[in-house]
């Protein structure tokens, strides 16, 4: 592998989106940042769209993906909209869980009359991060198959092709010779 020369005028770098996504997801644990979003109805009433975080999983995931430039659309309010737009954003279905991928859960009625799906970001071989669908209303780390205190049906896994060579330990030696956006060296004075 080519060595890093700090005196070189430009360096070719590659943004490790998967690693960045997992880092952001892990560091969102404990946050209530995604628990509320307000809407104004036609009668002039203000409503909390996400029921104090109970329904914020698609919002959490779509905004986190947007931060990593893995989502081109506006943030979405429900999992059905998120899943419909995943292919439009370059995501592909995959057979099983992989760190950095998304996991989609089947409907669960929780405390309401209608069922809601759920989504999380897989952060390692056994855990995912999503809003606390167990009533905690905060972002939580949990076993991949149990986003609440009970197991939940998994209806799909999604992967982004930009992740394929994201792990620097497994990159080919020619990674530094690819045509990427150069980063210019700044003079330190």
């Amino acid at each position: 592998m080519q060595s890093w020369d700090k005196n070189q005028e430009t360096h070719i770098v590659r943004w490790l989106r998967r690693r960045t996504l997992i880092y952001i997801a892990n560091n969102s644990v404990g946050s209530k940042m995604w628990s509320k979003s307000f809407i104004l109805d036609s009668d002039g009433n203000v409503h909390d769209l996400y029921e104090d975080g109970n329904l914020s999983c698609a919002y959490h995931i779509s905004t986190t993906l947007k931060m990593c430039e893995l989502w081109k659309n506006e943030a979405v309010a429900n999992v059905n909209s998120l899943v419909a737009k995943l292919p439009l954003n370059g995501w592909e279905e995959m057979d099983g869980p992989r760190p950095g991928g998304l996991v989609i859960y089947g409907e669960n009625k929780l405390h309401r009359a209608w069922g809601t799906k759920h989504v999380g970001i897989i952060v390692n071989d056994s855990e995912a991060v999503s809003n606390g669908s167990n009533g905690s209303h905060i972002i939580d780390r949990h076993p991949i198959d149990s986003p609440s205190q009970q197991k939940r049906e998994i209806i799909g896994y999604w992967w982004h092709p930009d992740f394929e060579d994201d792990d620097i330990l497994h990159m080919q030696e020619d990674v530094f010779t690819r045509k990427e956006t150069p980063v210019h060296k700044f003079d330190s004075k």
Side-chain angles (χ1 to χ4, degrees):
M1 189 180 292
Q2 201 172 17
S3 64
W4 182 268
D5 179 3
K6 65 181 179 183
N7 296 315
Q8 185 176 332
E9 286 299 313
T10 60
H11 294 283
I12 304 302
V13 298
R14 181 167 182 82
W15 187 15
L16 301 178
R17 286 188 172 98
R18 179 174 64 127
R19 193 172 288 192
T20 303
L21 177 65
I22 292 169
Y23 178 84
I24 292 170
N26 276 322
N27 283 281
S28 70
V29 172
S31 175
K32 289 188 174 186
M33 188 168 95
W34 290 272
S35 66
K36 292 187 181 287
S37 186
F38 299 99
I39 57 172
L40 181 66
D41 69 19
S42 58
D43 295 329
N45 299 312
V46 175
H47 301 277
D48 173 10
L49 185 61
Y50 302 122
E51 295 183 8
D52 196 30
N54 222 11
L55 299 174
S56 66
C57 62
Y59 180 58
H60 170 236
I61 301 304
S62 61
T63 57
T64 303
L65 295 178
K66 194 166 188 74
M67 288 167 41
C68 295
E69 295 184 7
L70 297 165
W71 189 261
K72 297 172 187 77
N73 299 95
E74 297 298 320
V76 294
N78 64 65
V79 177
N80 287 337
S81 295
L82 183 124
V83 170
K85 292 179 180 181
L86 283 172
L88 303 173
N89 287 277
W91 289 82
E92 301 167 352
E93 286 191 77
M94 63 177 171
D95 293 332
R98 289 175 70 183
L102 303 180
V103 56
I104 311 296
Y105 301 95
E107 291 185 355
N108 184 352
K109 289 189 177 180
L110 295 172
H111 67 280
R112 61 188 61 76
W114 65 92
T116 57
K117 293 180 181 171
H118 191 63
V119 60
I121 298 170
I122 301 165
V123 294
N124 59 42
D125 291 335
S126 61
E127 295 177 310
V129 166
S130 65
N131 75 304
S133 63
N134 60 1
S136 69
H137 309 275
I138 61 173
I139 307 304
D140 194 16
R141 184 179 296 106
H142 51 78
I144 291 173
D145 65 350
S146 306
S148 54
Q149 295 170 342
Q150 58 188 5
K151 287 190 185 256
R152 196 157 170 183
E153 176 192 16
I154 294 173
I155 59 174
Y157 296 101
W158 290 80
W159 182 255
H160 201 283
D162 282 358
F163 295 162
E164 289 304 328
D165 60 357
D166 198 331
D167 191 343
I168 195 75
L169 300 174
H170 298 100
M171 286 185 170
Q172 301 96 350
E173 289 197 28
D174 70 339
V175 67
F176 294 104
T177 63
R178 294 186 187 161
K179 299 217 183 299
E180 304 282 346
T181 305
V183 175
H184 298 280
K185 179 182 168 193
F186 296 98
D187 292 329
S188 56
K189 295 181 180 178

